[in-house]
């Protein structure tokens, strides 16, 4: 079900130094949607996520989270984040899958507190949701890149966020596992009602699962549902081949 916006950007503008990186961005992420952000390298995709996460501040415009101005929003636990660098542990890294996923509860229960039985059950449930139940006691470094990234999804969802923000999480994931990774995201969206906002380079896999597409190139060149994006891309393909070069 698609309802109210959980994230809304109104006329957002951002620059690091002199160079304008994002200009006039109006974007609405509806509740229950899977919004894929695509666009060329350097088009401002990661910057947009950092603005939504509150790591950067717009120089103009406003961001609303769950209908509230970002500056007043205090419930960060409602927003989970998975970065592209997560899946790079070497085989000697000492933490187990269980321990890494449990660390996602830190914000909720405090660092170095003992996990209660209920917390442990939540950790196992998150591990099951990403299909890694057989690996709970394995060292994370012994897993493949795709499996490691599933661990980070589990870590992000264990605290039951309403929104999951992902920055190119399939970097380092085998091509053959990319499809199933996207399918996992859709199952989280449908079963847990998690809204997804994701920067992606895997355009075809993304178009199979996303409900909406945002095409960014400093400005928001396109925002709409996925079927509409496919039509526009098809039309542009014949008139202007550069448009879909992602
Ligand atoms: P994308 O994610 O689409 O590849 P980015 O948001 O990472 O794009 O970057 C957008 C532009 O901002 C690029 O020109 C990049 O070089 C520049 N940029 C990114 N991060 C910084 C930074 N910390 N300081 C200065 N410029 C940056």
């Amino acid at each position: 079900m698609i309802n109210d916006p959980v994230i809304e950007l109104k006329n957002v503008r951002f620059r690091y130094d002199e160079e304008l990186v994002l200009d006039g961005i109006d974007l609405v992420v509806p509740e229950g949607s899977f919004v894929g952000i695509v666009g060329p390298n350097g088009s401002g995709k990661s910057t947009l996520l950092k603005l939504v996460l509150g790591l950067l501040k717009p120089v103009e415009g406003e961001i609303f989270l769950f209908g509230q101005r970002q500056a007043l929003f205090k419930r960060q636990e409602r927003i989970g984040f998975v970065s592209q660098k997560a899946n790079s542990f070497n085989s000697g890294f000492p933490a187990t899958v269980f321990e890494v996923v449990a660390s996602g509860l830190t914000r909720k229960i405090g660092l170095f507190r003992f996990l209660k039985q209920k917390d442990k059950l939540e950790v196992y449930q998150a591990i099951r949701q990403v299909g890694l139940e057989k690996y709970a006691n394995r060292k994370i470094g012994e897993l493949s890149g795709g499996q490691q990234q599933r661990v980070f999804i589990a870590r992000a969802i264990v605290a039951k966020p309403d929104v999951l923000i992902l920055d190119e999480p399939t970097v380092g994931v085998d091509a053959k596992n990319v499809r199933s990774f996207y399918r996992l995201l859709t199952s989280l969206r449908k079963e847990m009602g998690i809204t997804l906002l994701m920067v992606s380079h895997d355009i075809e896999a993304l178009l199979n699962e996303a409900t909406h597409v945002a095409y960014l190139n400093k400005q928001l060149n396109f925002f709409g549902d996925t079927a509409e994006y496919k039509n526009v891309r098809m039309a542009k393909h014949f008139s202007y081949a550069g448009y879909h070069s992602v």
Side-chain angles (χ1 to χ4, degrees), residues 44-46 52 74 78 83-84 87 92 100 145 162 172 217 226 231:
K45 302 183 295 298
S46 292
V52 171
K74 296 284 177 270
R78 294 188 75 179
S83 76
Q84 58 179 266
N87 57 347
V100 173
D162 296 299
N217 201 354
T226 303
N231 286 338

Side-chain angles (χ1 to χ4, degrees), residues 36 123 152 154 161 243:
V123 173
F152 284 94
Y243 184 81

Side-chain angles (χ1 to χ4, degrees), residues 16-17 19 21 40-48 50:
Y16 284 102
D17 303 303
E19 190 201 341
V21 174
N41 279 335
S43 59
K45 302 183 295 298
S46 292
T47 302
L48 191 148
K50 286 180 187 149

Side-chain angles (χ1 to χ4, degrees), residues 200-237:
S200 171
H201 270 130
D202 316 303
I203 184 75
E204 299 313 322
L206 178 77
L207 293 181
N208 279 325
E209 304 296 333
T211 60
H212 296 71
V213 177
Y215 186 98
L216 202 61
N217 201 354
K218 294 193 178 174
Q219 298 182 335
L220 194 59
N221 287 4
F222 174 89
F223 179 67
D225 68 40
T226 303
E228 198 186 331
Y229 177 78
K230 286 180 183 168
N231 286 338
V232 170
R233 189 177 69 149
M234 184 73 90
K236 296 275 181 187
H237 179 65

Side-chain angles (χ1 to χ4, degrees), residues 3 29 42-43 49 184 196:
N3 296 312
V29 178
S43 59
L49 294 190
L184 167 68
L196 300 162

